[in-house]
């Protein structure tokens, strides 16, 4: 039974797209990549820290991180601090499919993308009016912007393959070269064909210290439901850092039956499509506070 899930309300069109492709028998990876690209390439959704229209780094350059992981062993590809490409997940997919490496960053990632036929765009084309104005305001006040979105998608196809992907322009006005949790396996995403997959969103500089997505997979492997596993990981991290220091973290997960769940330290919305009734639900997850 095919299923799809995505982080935040703005994932709705991507989840719908994955659903329409998956029910026709398309593969999880292709469906996810196509759905991701539509959001990445839309400057309106850049304000959610994704692709074109995402906030630039402190030098004004839009630098993106993206990763894709299939459930099968060693099927992982990622890019980090990549600029000039509005669909970074497609480059991550090429890293997975075509290179002998798993993670390429900065200029090397750009050179690889060029070799694979991607057109490198001028930075000004990656900016929107919204992100340009926000950057000017940042330059004036040196005040940083809060908010930690990331588009995370999970797709399970009718053939039983599971794929997870994430894409983000990262922390607004970040230090050039800063890499968040998203392109790091186990941190921003993880998939295991025997268990399921998970994706994270939030404050990447903190998230990466806890490998929450790998932890969710381990707990699901022990028999916990996706929801129980996400909640347990959130609880564990909150306990470790202390409630008063808990940072923004949202996690979504899916098991191989297509069951989904989430947990979050803040109010969090996620979107779910299931083949059973061919419908999309937008679910609101209240902050877990233990
Ligand atoms: C990251 N989790 O790079 C991503 C996106 C984000 O503030 O929330 N940035 O940390």
């Amino acid at each position: 039974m095919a299923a799809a899930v995505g982080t935040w309300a703005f994932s709705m069109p991507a989840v719908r797209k994955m659903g329409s492709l998956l029910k026709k028998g398309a593969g999880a990876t292709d469906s996810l990549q196509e759905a991701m690209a539509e959001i990445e390439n839309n400057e309106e959704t850049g304000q959610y820290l994704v692709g074109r229209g995402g906030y630039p780094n402190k030098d004004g350059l839009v630098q993106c991180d993206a990763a894709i992981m299939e459930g099968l062993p060693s099927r992982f590809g990622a890019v980090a601090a990549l600029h000039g490409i509005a669909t970074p997940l497609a480059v991550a997919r090429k890293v997975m499919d075509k290179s002998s490496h798993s993670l390429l960053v900065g200029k090397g990632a750009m050179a690889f993308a060029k070799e694979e036929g991607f057109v490198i765009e001028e930075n000004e084309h990656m900016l929107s009016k919204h992100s340009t104005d926000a950057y000017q305001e940042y330059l004036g006040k040196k005040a940083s912007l809060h908010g930690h979105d990331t588009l995370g998608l999970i797709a399970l196809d009718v053939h039983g393959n599971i794929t997870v992907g994430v894409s983000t322009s990262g922390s607004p006005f970040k230090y050039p070269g800063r890499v968040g949790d998203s392109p790091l396996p186990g941190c921003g995403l993880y998939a295991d064909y025997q268990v399921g997959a998970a994706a994270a969103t939030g404050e990447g500089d903190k998230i990466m210290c806890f490998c929450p997505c790998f932890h969710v997979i381990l707990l699901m492997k022990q028999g916990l439901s996706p929801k129980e596993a996400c909640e347990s990981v959130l609880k564990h991290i909150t306990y470790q850092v202390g409630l008063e220091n808990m940072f923004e973290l949202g996690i979504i997960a899916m098991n191989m039956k297509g069951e989904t769940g989430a947990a979050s330290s803040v109010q969090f919305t996620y979107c779910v499509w299931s083949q059973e009734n061919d419908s999309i639900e937008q679910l609101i997850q209240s902050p877990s506070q233990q």
Side-chain angles (χ1 to χ4, degrees):
M1 187 74 70
V5 60
T7 53
W8 305 108
F10 76 93
S11 72
M12 181 71 104
V15 173
R16 183 175 295 116
K17 178 89 195 179
M18 289 195 291
S20 75
L21 295 167
L22 291 168
K23 76 180 178 200
K24 286 189 233 151
T29 301
D30 288 342
S31 305
L32 186 147
Q33 183 183 333
E34 199 174 322
M36 185 72 87
E38 282 185 10
I39 306 270
E40 287 175 315
N41 212 353
N42 177 350
E43 71 168 40
E44 293 294 310
T45 45
Q47 60 178 303
Y48 304 116
L49 316 191
V50 181
R52 193 186 300 282
Y55 296 103
N57 66 17
K58 79 177 184 66
D59 290 347
L61 196 62
V62 180
Q63 282 191 319
C64 295
D65 298 343
I68 189 159
M69 189 167 196
E70 293 180 338
L72 296 171
S74 304
R75 295 287 296 153
F76 174 78
V79 288
L82 173 72
H83 70 265
I85 295 180
T87 54
L89 184 113
V91 184
R93 167 92 185 265
K94 288 282 186 200
V95 173
M96 176 173 83
D97 286 346
K98 296 277 185 69
S99 86
S100 53
H101 305 301
S102 289
L103 170 60
L104 294 176
V105 307
K107 286 188 181 144
M110 270 173 85
F112 172 79
K114 242 180 177 167
E115 277 169 29
E116 289 299 326
F118 288 85
V119 175
I120 313 292
E121 296 187 51
E122 291 298 327
N123 186 54
E124 64 196 56
H125 294 149
M126 293 293 292
L127 293 161
S128 63
K129 174 158 182 352
H130 178 84
S131 62
T132 306
D133 290 350
Y135 181 58
Q136 290 310 327
E137 202 176 319
Y138 159 76
L139 288 179
K141 292 192 201 149
K142 287 281 175 219
S144 58
L145 230 176
H146 293 289
H148 304 279
D149 302 323
T150 289
L151 181 55
L153 300 174
I154 304 173
L156 175 68
D157 67 29
V158 293
H159 317 288
N161 302 303
I162 196 159
T163 301
V164 57
V166 289
S167 184
T168 183
S169 54
S171 197
F173 322 127
K174 62 193 175 185
Y175 200 87
R178 177 264 188 191
V179 175
D181 61 308
S182 300
L184 306 178
C187 299
L189 74 172
Y190 203 80
D192 178 325
Y193 74 104
Q194 293 177 323
V195 183
T201 172
E203 215 176 314
D205 299 287
K206 304 270 171 52
I207 294 172
M208 68 168 76
C209 307
F210 297 93
C211 289
C213 291
F214 186 62
H215 195 173
V216 164
I217 300 300
L218 288 182
L219 293 176
M220 291 201 296
K221 197 169 192 165
Q222 287 166 15
L224 269 64
S225 71
K227 183 165 182 51
E228 287 166 345
C230 291
E231 275 175 353
S232 176
V233 168
L234 192 82
K235 196 171 171 177
H236 167 78
I237 297 172
T238 309
Y239 177 75
Q240 282 205 312
V241 300
L243 190 52
E244 62 290 358
N245 297 321
M246 189 51 195
F247 49 89
E248 186 177 323
L249 168 62
I251 319 173
I252 55 168
M254 184 191 288
N255 63 19
M256 297 308 286
K257 288 187 250 171
E259 296 164 343
T260 55
S264 177
S265 61
V266 295
Q267 178 94 354
F268 173 64
T269 305
Y270 65 109
C271 300
V272 179
W273 171 82
S274 72
Q275 191 178 15
E276 201 169 8
N277 35 19
D278 192 13
S279 66
I280 300 189
E281 268 185 290
Q282 190 170 296
L283 298 161
I284 297 177
Q285 179 69 46
S286 303
S288 314
Q289 290 288 349
Q290 313 89 16

